[in-house]
Amino acid sequence: MQERILIAPNGTELLRMLARSGISTLGLRIMQPVELAQFALMRSGVPLTETPVTPDAEAALIYKSLPEIPYFKSASLHDVQNLTGTLRTLRLQITDNERDTIAAGLNSSPFAEKNDALLKVYDAYTAALQQNGMIDSVGILRYAVSRAKALSAECLVLQEYPPAPLEQAVIAQISGGTAKTVSLRKLLQKDAKPLPMPQITECYGAVNEAEYIIGTIFREKLPLDQCTVAVTDAAGYAPLFFELTRRYNIPVTFGCGLPVTLTNPAAVLRDYANWLTAGHCGIDALRQLLTGSAFDTAQFCEDFCIIHPDQLIETAGAMRLGADAALNAVRIEAYCAAAERNPLLIAQLKEIFVNWGMDCAKLLRRYAKIRKNDLGRLDKAAQNKICDTLERFTAMTGEPADKLFSDLLQMHICKENSCEGALHITSASGALTSLRQNLFAAGLSAEKFPGEPTENYLLLDDELAAFGENAPTSGNLILQAKQSLHDLLQTAAALDIRTELSYCGYDAAELKANNASSVLYELFKKAGGTDEKAYKECIHRTGYFSQALSGMTEIGRAYLSGETVAAHEPESAEMPEVSGNVRELSPTVIERYLQCPKLFCYEQIMKLNVPEQDDVFQVISPLDFGNIVHEAMSHLSGEKPALEDFLAAAEQIFDRFLTERPPMNPNDAEKYRSDFKAAVRNGYEKTEDMQIESAEQKLRAEYDCGIVIKGRPDALAKLPDGTYRILDYKTGRNRKHENDDYISCMQVMLYADMLRQDGVNVTGGDYLYLALNETVSCAYTPERTALVHGVLAEIADAMRENNYPAKASKNNCMYCPYLGICAEEGAVL
């Protein structure tokens, strides 16, 4: 039996289709031109002395040469991929004298600067191939033309996939000039049949269109593996079908591939890119990366023996440790030198951010979650594609990988073969070799198919035309798209395949009407249609929310019919009564209650937590500023140091903080240093006549109402007359306390009462506003003891009765984190 070779893409799918049609595939090889060239060279005993390169490696070689060419100096990876594809396409149009033909064709164009740069890229690329002992796909084809011997096999070229001129030369050489062109219909041994009148459906939006197709399949009980969906816009329609089939657990394969963004590795890559760029290696961005749903946090903690991941994230994020191991080492060293640190935490930081280095590819390979269900194949494909590209790119160019991130997230992956029991989604050209008994063609609006002619900005149509009338100009690409659809429908007609065409006639997202493609009208006319009026009448139209695939559809139908849809509201459970010791509270929390009982409820009863975002551009937050001022003021306890010694110790505290949180711009810290020194100096001067007995002393007192108060006053000062005062340091610039107002000064009143119970003669308290250099004082007298106890009793009753009315005011409500959920109508802005 004579061996047969068919030159066509999608070999596996085509063999299956031939077998389903009863055509013997014994002795039949299906190859693409490059595969044929390699096969022929092997049969001819001619080895390839160079190493074949992948398309990614071609792009990396071209990228490496661009810094020497000013015209392309700022090119992105997308530009490089376009350059790679453009040069490959151009070279495929040339059968001989490649370099001279390219130069002559480009010189005929008026865009001399661009074309001179293109020629330089070509020269640099071919020189790099030679220097590295590599050969690309075009080089293999050209090598086969000159060295391969003719095969005895019968060579057939599939008419629906015409080869480029260089590929034709290879086929002619290997077949000895005997290659024949054959249509798929003839290969299937089917006679041509006239196109039937097309079944066209207009849908409201692409989502409705996808739902209509899935709904038709299930409504008519069509076996899934007897259905193929051909989409004109894989980037738009593939994710829609992916979401629908996932939602309803429908087995499906994607011959057109899927966006990489649907996978866990892409989610981790996106978080990693955000961490290094917009997140500026800050706390929030690092937390999103290391604790995101797509990241295997448990494995990460196990590998690096991390017991408290939050502590590590906050420390590393505050120091802005990133992917630069050398800079990380410097920052960790400064952090260790400033103060005594947790040795285990330091060891983990060094291991992760210095020794291991947080390399993107290593991170993705080890910690991107690969799902256990059928989505695992997508995750694994994305992981391999992203990591291989990153590793190859950095190895060949020496450039940092972050330049690739945005382009990697635009890739499509996992082009699959069809399988038994699954619906097959593919492109129009891919559907031709994977036809089943039912064919649905989606996306045939004028906007999507065949689309508007778009010239390649690197090689314009007039420039491409210089290399042959069949060169891939924008006009020829449009003609090819139309021809692909015509071939698909002609072959389907010959095979008696049921065919339905559809388009989205209304884009609900953009609120604009989409017209049917003119190609549909041409098909209508070829099938014997008469005029435009008859054409419009034959189009079936689906109504908005006409499908029955989701609960949202039912809500939409109810809306259109004027019905009201309300959620079921279960009866709220009663709050249990509290008895005995109501709760341990702090004086600060008591002040929050007095500010607004509703706010107290959200924070202390309902335990709602509104995490503060980390502003990476903020040198020091108000909270951190207050903490280091308090730490500096604690040095005044006991024997008071001289002012110079005190200020020097305070400045060391500030410098230590900068090692814990290095500012984005070191100069920005100087203003805060000045404010800090002024605040602590004011604090020193305001306490000159006082003896600071203690700082941050633990206090605890239990009251008859059931409340237990625990807290630590900032300082307890002894006055010359032997009495004591509570000192509370405030670092803000907004005065919130009033002189001798026990309600606004409840915090120091409580501390005074607790110390009075321990026998300390406390006469009151002072709020030292250090930034303002002001003091607010409040006396504590025996008469105020009853008032303080009355406030605590009121809070205990509120907690027992679950009664927390809002105290609405402009100051209370404007910056309240719970304003969006507060049900009180009195809340004001």
Side-chain angles (χ1 to χ4, degrees):
M1 176 185 294
Q2 184 184 20
E3 184 179 31
R4 291 184 300 157
I5 298 176
L6 177 63
I7 314 302
N10 305 327
T12 302
E13 291 291 348
L14 189 50
L15 283 172
R16 289 176 177 174
M17 197 168 105
L18 290 170
R20 283 198 300 268
S21 299
I23 307 301
S24 173
T25 58
L26 190 63
L28 176 65
R29 293 178 182 269
I30 300 179
M31 299 180 180
Q32 296 196 56
V34 174
E35 294 175 287
L36 175 65
Q38 292 173 307
F39 178 72
L41 287 169
M42 181 187 67
R43 283 283 183 93
S44 303
V46 180
L48 280 175
T49 55
E50 297 93 347
T51 304
V53 295
T54 63
D56 284 344
E58 292 178 34
L61 286 175
I62 288 178
Y63 183 88
K64 194 173 182 180
S65 69
L66 295 187
E68 307 301 323
I69 304 171
Y71 190 87
F72 292 114
K73 189 174 183 179
S74 301
S76 66
L77 178 64
H78 176 74
D79 295 325
V80 173
Q81 291 170 332
N82 194 16
L83 262 173
T84 306
T86 298
L87 287 177
R88 187 186 303 119
T89 298
L90 184 58
R91 295 168 66 199
L92 287 173
Q93 309 306 311
I94 302 165
T95 58
D96 198 14
N97 298 322
E98 183 176 282
R99 206 274 180 190
D100 293 341
T101 305
I102 291 175
L106 294 179
N107 287 338
S108 64
S109 168
F111 300 100
E113 183 182 4
K114 169 182 71 70
N115 291 340
D116 180 61
L118 273 176
L119 197 58
K120 287 179 179 178
V121 171
Y122 169 82
D123 288 339
Y125 169 63
T126 51
L129 286 174
Q130 187 174 6
Q131 290 169 6
N132 290 282
M134 297 176 174
I135 187 170
D136 61 12
S137 58
V138 177
I140 292 173
L141 292 171
R142 207 167 294 287
Y143 192 58
V145 170
S146 62
R147 301 295 301 276
K149 298 176 182 177
L151 301 177
S152 59
E154 177 187 8
C155 289
L156 302 172
V157 179
L158 201 58
Q159 174 182 303
E160 288 81 0
Y161 299 97
L166 180 56
E167 295 170 336
Q168 292 174 3
V170 170
I171 295 168
Q173 170 67 22
I174 293 171
S175 68
T178 64
K180 298 176 182 178
T181 299
V182 61
S183 69
L184 181 58
R185 175 185 50 76
K186 188 173 181 180
L187 196 65
L188 293 167
Q189 299 177 10
K190 298 292 183 180
D191 295 329
K193 291 184 179 179
L195 285 173
M197 187 63 68
Q199 297 184 51
I200 304 171
T201 301
E202 178 191 75
C203 302
Y204 274 77
V207 175
N208 237 29
E209 189 177 1
E211 286 192 348
Y212 169 76
I213 291 172
I214 298 293
T216 299
I217 291 171
F218 280 89
R219 185 171 56 253
E220 299 187 14
K221 299 181 180 179
L222 305 176
L224 290 173
D225 54 9
Q226 290 185 20
C227 299
T228 298
V229 180
V231 297
T232 59
D233 174 21
Y237 279 87
L240 288 179
F241 280 103
F242 175 81
E243 292 298 335
L244 281 173
T245 53
R246 285 292 302 160
R247 186 185 305 166
Y248 302 112
N249 198 27
I250 299 170
V252 63
T253 52
F254 288 89
C256 56
L258 284 165
V260 72
T261 49
L262 297 172
T263 67
N264 276 345
V268 175
L269 176 63
R270 188 165 46 241
D271 289 340
Y272 184 91
N274 177 67
W275 171 58
L276 288 184
T277 55
H280 300 282
C281 302
I283 296 173
D284 293 342
L286 182 60
R287 180 178 287 111
Q288 177 59 37
L289 170 62
L290 298 184
T291 63
S293 60
F295 189 88
D296 194 341
T297 308
Q299 185 64 57
F300 182 80
C301 291
E302 180 182 333
D303 288 350
F304 295 103
C305 303
I306 300 171
I307 300 174
H308 303 292
D310 283 342
Q311 182 186 20
L312 181 134
I313 288 169
E314 289 177 9
T315 304
M319 282 196 285
R320 296 183 180 87
L321 302 182
D324 185 336
L327 178 59
N328 292 343
V330 171
R331 289 185 170 176
I332 293 173
E333 192 64 32
Y335 177 76
C336 293
E340 185 176 348
R341 308 294 187 183
N342 182 336
L344 177 59
L345 177 62
I346 297 303
Q348 291 168 348
L349 290 173
K350 287 181 177 179
E351 183 62 26
I352 296 169
F353 292 96
V354 178
N355 300 337
W356 195 65
M358 290 291 282
D359 175 76
C360 183
K362 289 194 297 186
L363 197 79
L364 288 174
R365 286 203 189 278
R366 179 65 177 165
Y367 301 115
K369 287 182 180 177
I370 306 299
R371 287 166 284 192
K372 301 299 183 184
N373 55 23
D374 59 322
L375 294 179
R377 72 190 194 281
L378 290 177
D379 289 336
K380 195 64 182 175
Q383 185 185 57
N384 291 335
K385 179 64 175 176
I386 293 171
C387 294
D388 288 350
T389 303
L390 287 171
E391 291 165 347
R392 188 180 297 111
F393 179 87
T394 52
M396 297 190 71
T397 66
E399 293 285 335
D402 56 2
K403 294 185 178 181
L404 277 68
F405 293 161
S406 61
D407 293 297
L408 287 172
L409 291 171
Q410 297 177 27
M411 294 190 307
H412 274 63
I413 55 161
C414 214
K415 292 186 177 182
E416 305 168 301
N417 291 321
S418 60
C419 70
E420 185 178 355
L423 175 66
H424 191 56
I425 315 290
T426 187
S427 62
S429 60
L432 185 62
T433 55
S434 54
L435 282 169
R436 294 164 163 184
Q437 194 55 44
N438 301 280
L439 172 66
F440 299 86
L444 291 171
S445 63
E447 185 182 65
K448 297 182 181 297
F449 184 84
E452 297 180 2
T454 304
E455 293 187 76
N456 186 334
Y457 64 88
L458 291 173
L459 274 180
L460 303 178
D461 285 350
D462 289 344
E463 294 170 327
L464 279 168
F467 296 94
E469 61 179 11
N470 293 323
T473 62
S474 61
N476 283 340
L477 292 176
I478 293 292
L479 291 175
Q480 288 176 20
K482 289 183 176 181
Q483 187 61 47
S484 291
L485 180 63
H486 183 271
D487 292 339
L488 176 65
L489 299 180
Q490 197 76 59
T491 305
L495 294 173
D496 295 323
I497 288 173
R498 172 254 186 93
T499 303
E500 286 201 22
L501 313 178
S502 63
Y503 70 99
C504 53
Y506 188 81
D507 190 332
E510 299 180 18
L511 299 178
K512 65 179 183 181
N514 288 331
N515 298 318
S517 171
S518 60
V519 174
L520 292 179
Y521 184 57
E522 294 172 10
L523 293 171
F524 172 77
K525 295 284 283 185
K526 286 181 181 178
T530 55
D531 55 24
E532 187 175 348
K533 182 179 179 182
Y535 164 65
K536 290 181 178 180
E537 289 175 351
C538 82
I539 295 177
H540 168 66
R541 291 173 175 81
T542 64
Y544 206 49
F545 297 120
S546 64
Q547 305 311 311
L549 291 181
S550 68
M552 186 59 69
T553 297
E554 295 304 319
I555 293 173
R557 286 178 180 168
Y559 172 78
L560 292 179
S561 63
E563 298 175 15
T564 300
V565 180
H568 172 66
E569 296 186 3
E571 295 182 4
S572 58
E574 292 185 1
M575 181 74 76
E577 289 190 1
V578 183
S579 59
N581 288 340
V582 177
R583 192 179 294 270
E584 289 186 346
L585 303 175
S586 71
T588 303
V589 169
I590 297 298
E591 281 199 341
R592 297 289 271 180
Y593 176 91
L594 296 175
Q595 177 186 345
C596 177
K598 194 78 167 184
L599 175 64
F600 170 88
C601 174
Y602 286 136
E603 291 180 340
Q604 301 301 317
I605 307 302
M606 300 177 69
K607 296 296 183 182
L608 299 183
N609 180 28
V610 181
E612 292 187 11
Q613 289 192 333
D614 175 44
D615 183 355
V616 294
F617 293 102
Q618 188 177 56
V619 176
I620 181 170
S621 70
L623 177 62
D624 287 332
F625 188 85
N627 287 339
I628 62 173
V629 168
H630 280 69
E631 183 179 351
M633 293 299 292
S634 69
H635 283 67
L636 299 180
S637 178
E639 185 176 349
K640 183 173 291 186
L643 176 61
E644 294 75 13
D645 295 338
F646 172 69
L647 293 178
E651 194 148 8
Q652 287 182 356
I653 293 172
F654 189 86
D655 289 336
R656 187 201 67 206
F657 176 81
L658 294 185
T659 69
E660 298 169 357
R661 185 183 174 87
M664 297 288 286
N665 180 358
N667 294 330
D668 292 343
E670 294 313 305
K671 176 188 179 301
Y672 292 92
R673 183 190 299 276
S674 176
D675 292 345
F676 172 76
K677 291 171 67 176
V680 296
R681 178 185 285 271
N682 290 339
Y684 185 92
E685 293 173 350
K686 281 187 172 296
T687 58
E688 268 189 312
D689 297 332
M690 304 177 183
Q691 174 64 41
I692 306 300
E693 290 283 312
S694 63
E696 302 286 342
Q697 176 187 353
K698 290 183 179 180
L699 299 179
R700 183 181 188 278
E702 186 172 341
Y703 290 85
D704 293 340
C705 64
I707 287 180
V708 175
I709 301 295
K710 295 176 67 174
R712 295 168 179 255
D714 290 345
L716 178 64
K718 184 176 182 180
L719 303 182
D721 62 2
T723 61
Y724 290 86
R725 301 284 290 182
I726 301 295
L727 300 184
D728 196 89
Y729 306 127
K730 298 299 179 185
T731 55
R733 294 186 176 273
N734 293 325
R735 213 171 90 160
K736 299 180 179 179
H737 306 87
E738 297 297 331
N739 281 309
D740 219 27
D741 174 26
Y742 82 96
I743 291 296
S744 69
C745 299
M746 182 56 63
Q747 185 176 6
V748 295
M749 293 293 96
L750 281 167
Y751 284 134
D753 186 76
M754 295 164 75
L755 286 165
R756 278 282 185 98
Q757 293 183 38
D758 289 340
V760 181
N761 185 16
V762 180
T763 60
D766 297 319
Y767 290 95
L768 305 185
Y769 281 86
L770 303 182
L772 300 174
N773 200 19
E774 295 178 359
T775 301
V776 175
S777 299
C778 189
Y780 188 80
T781 62
E783 292 76 17
R784 285 188 169 167
T785 300
L787 297 176
V788 170
H789 290 201
V791 168
L792 296 179
E794 175 191 333
I795 296 173
D797 288 342
M799 296 174 73
R800 290 191 180 94
E801 295 170 7
N802 193 29
N803 180 30
Y804 305 101
K807 188 179 291 185
S809 71
K810 186 173 183 178
N811 288 337
N812 280 351
C813 299
M814 181 173 289
Y815 299 109
C816 178
Y818 310 105
L819 181 62
I821 61 172
C822 184
E824 299 292 335
E825 294 182 1
V828 293
L829 294 178

